Amino acid sequence: MEKRFDALSAAALMQADGTLTQIAAGERLTDEETARLTARVLQKAGLSGTPVIRKKTNLRRIGVVLLTAALVLTAMTASVSGYLVYNRAHAAKNFGELGTRRLEEMELTSPVTYTNGIVDVTVEAVLCDGQYALVLATMETTDPGMDVVWDRQCMPYELTMPYEEAVNGMVFGYEKALLENVSVQEVGEQGWVTWIFSIEEGHAGETMTLCFYETTRAEPNGKDMPVNDATCGITMEIPLVQNTPVLTLVSDAGETLHLSGYQLYADRMGAFSPQPFRLHRRDGSIADAEIISVSESAMSSETETWGKTAARIYECLPDVRFDAFDPDTFIGFLDVSEVTAIEVDGVMYRVQE
């Protein structure tokens, strides 16, 4: 009986997946529209807010879920392949089209959805180079008609104590990793969020639990506006496990930089500023690249060091004009295995083997 049930579950999933593929092709749906359709289908099937990918889960329960979803999809002419769908358009805005393909080849897109019943937060991908973690997430209300200003809903803090205790004591902060940068873009009814965390010494390889607490912030007009009032109570698990390679590069003067697939950073303040630089490869080719934003960490009292400088990097594609808003003009997730040196402001930093 169990084998037959598993077979039916697999068949239901395949049929549902094929249906969504046909709809997406026939209706010429974009990645964003396909993801939204899938989310609606899962919600109709009673799956809204459940993790897309989790650790060990009861296989029989998965079968029931897939079979239920397939029945709903038959009625709606849709599909459950949201288990395999992530917000690819968001990834492309960060990493470019070619960089996103590399992200997929390395299987770094594993969407997991968290909810409080009002807002769904889907963590699309977590990139970690051992020093920094970059997190892509998509926010969407469970009620499509709800009006939300997303840049007021995307400030998570680390859950270091029971939720009620933290709320009552107004104790919000970070322990394992510091939030260095938040960027949010409102696309349709969604909020596309990118968080960058710098990992505190001794916490690489651990899992950080983030939580949205309702707070306020002062606006330029002097009024206090609510923050996280729609996302409050949502908790997310973010693995701080290295999954992207890092190069160490040293100049003739002994200065050190580190290059990962998406970021250039140094173990000191003021290491560089937004500017063009060049990538040198093993085959002798040289590619132009851009540093368009720089963030700095203040002194750490624990390590007694003067912080770090980090910058997002974009490799420029040949014969096209670089535009940070056009995914077809850059690669934002590099193949560092082919890099032998980088040239920043005329200074050459060579890879240390």
Side-chain angles (χ1 to χ4, degrees), residues 42 118 149 168 172 221 225 228 235 238 316 335 339 346-347:
L42 292 176
I118 300 172
V149 179
N168 292 335
F172 310 140
N221 59 12
M225 299 298 295
N228 297 341
T235 59
I238 305 298
C316 305
D335 180 4
V339 175
V347 178

Side-chain angles (χ1 to χ4, degrees), residues 62-84:
I62 291 178
V64 173
V65 163
L66 296 182
L67 193 55
T68 301
L71 292 174
V72 172
L73 292 169
T74 299
M76 297 179 63
T77 324
S79 145
V80 293
S81 36
Y83 276 89
L84 307 176

Side-chain angles (χ1 to χ4, degrees), residues 15 40-41 67 169 181 183 200 248 251 270 295 307 320-321 327 331:
Q15 180 180 355
R40 297 284 175 82
V41 170
L67 193 55
N181 185 272
S183 63
E200 291 287 270
T248 297
S251 70
S295 63
V320 292
R321 182 179 179 182
I331 301 174

Side-chain angles (χ1 to χ4, degrees), residues 2 8 29 63 94 112 121 167 205 209 224 226 239 254 262 269 309 313 324:
E2 199 68 30
L8 286 172
L29 298 182
N94 275 269
V112 181
V121 179
V167 171
T209 301
D224 286 339
Y262 58 92
M269 301 282 279
T309 305
I313 54 174

Side-chain angles (χ1 to χ4, degrees), residues 282-352:
R282 296 184 187 279
D283 61 4
S285 63
I286 300 175
D288 292 329
E290 294 279 345
I291 298 174
I292 63 171
S293 64
V294 175
S295 63
E296 294 184 330
S297 306
M299 178 180 177
S300 169
S301 58
E302 294 184 4
T303 60
E304 296 186 352
T305 59
W306 284 98
K308 303 173 183 177
T309 305
R312 292 294 307 279
I313 54 174
Y314 299 88
E315 177 182 344
C316 305
L317 295 177
D319 303 323
V320 292
R321 182 179 179 182
F322 170 74
D323 181 351
F325 299 100
D326 184 351
D328 291 324
T329 67
F330 64 87
I331 301 174
F333 189 58
L334 311 181
D335 180 4
V336 298
S337 65
E338 296 299 316
V339 175
T340 58
I342 60 174
E343 185 180 345
V344 183
D345 197 21
V347 178
M348 189 74 75
Y349 296 80
R350 295 178 174 82
V351 172
Q352 299 300 293

Side-chain angles (χ1 to χ4, degrees), residues 30-272:
T30 65
D31 290 336
E32 179 190 349
E33 291 168 335
T34 302
R36 290 182 61 191
L37 173 62
T38 303
R40 297 284 175 82
V41 170
L42 292 176
Q43 183 178 3
K44 188 72 174 179
L47 307 180
S48 178
T50 58
V52 178
I53 295 179
R54 276 297 191 193
K55 296 179 182 178
K56 293 184 179 179
T57 307
N58 184 283
L59 292 178
R60 183 176 178 83
R61 172 58 183 159
I62 291 178
V64 173
V65 163
L66 296 182
L67 193 55
T68 301
L71 292 174
V72 172
L73 292 169
T74 299
M76 297 179 63
T77 324
S79 145
V80 293
S81 36
Y83 276 89
L84 307 176
V85 172
Y86 73 106
N87 189 345
R88 193 178 192 282
H90 185 197
K93 282 185 175 294
N94 275 269
F95 306 115
E97 178 61 33
L98 296 179
T100 299
R101 292 182 193 174
R102 183 168 294 128
L103 195 77
E104 294 165 346
E105 291 170 359
M106 295 178 65
E107 299 181 349
L108 295 176
T109 56
S110 300
V112 181
T113 300
Y114 304 89
T115 189
N116 59 2
I118 300 172
V119 171
D120 290 341
V121 179
T122 299
V123 176
E124 311 284 354
V126 179
L127 307 185
C128 181
D129 57 22
Q131 294 289 324
Y132 290 86
L134 184 152
V135 181
L136 296 183
T138 301
M139 294 182 168
E140 187 169 23
T141 61
T142 56
D143 177 4
M146 183 176 177
D147 187 20
V148 175
V149 179
W150 289 114
D151 70 353
R152 296 178 187 161
Q153 307 298 333
C154 57
M155 189 65 185
Y157 296 90
E158 189 171 355
L159 184 64
T160 58
M161 62 183 68
Y163 179 80
E164 292 298 332
E165 189 176 326
V167 171
N168 292 335
M170 295 296 287
V171 182
F172 310 140
Y174 304 96
E175 183 177 282
K176 297 179 180 179
L178 300 177
L179 181 59
E180 298 284 353
N181 185 272
V182 181
S183 63
V184 60
Q185 185 176 17
E186 298 196 10
V187 181
E189 296 180 347
Q190 296 179 331
W192 294 3
V193 188
T194 303
W195 293 294
I196 297 180
F197 297 87
S198 62
I199 302 171
E200 291 287 270
E201 187 175 356
H203 293 290
E206 299 180 4
T207 296
M208 174 175 60
T209 301
L210 295 177
C211 184
F212 293 90
Y213 301 100
E214 184 173 357
T215 62
T216 60
R217 75 179 180 201
E219 296 291 305
N221 59 12
K223 294 182 179 180
D224 286 339
M225 299 298 295
V227 174
N228 297 341
D229 54 314
T231 52
C232 64
I234 298 176
T235 59
M236 309 178 295
E237 294 181 356
I238 305 298
L240 304 178
V241 179
Q242 182 174 345
N243 56 13
T244 61
V246 179
L247 301 179
T248 297
L249 307 100
V250 181
S251 70
D252 292 340
E255 292 186 335
T256 301
L257 297 179
H258 306 280
L259 178 69
S260 68
Y262 58 92
Q263 189 160 248
L264 180 68
Y265 61 93
D267 298 320
R268 63 186 186 278
M269 301 282 279
F272 35 77

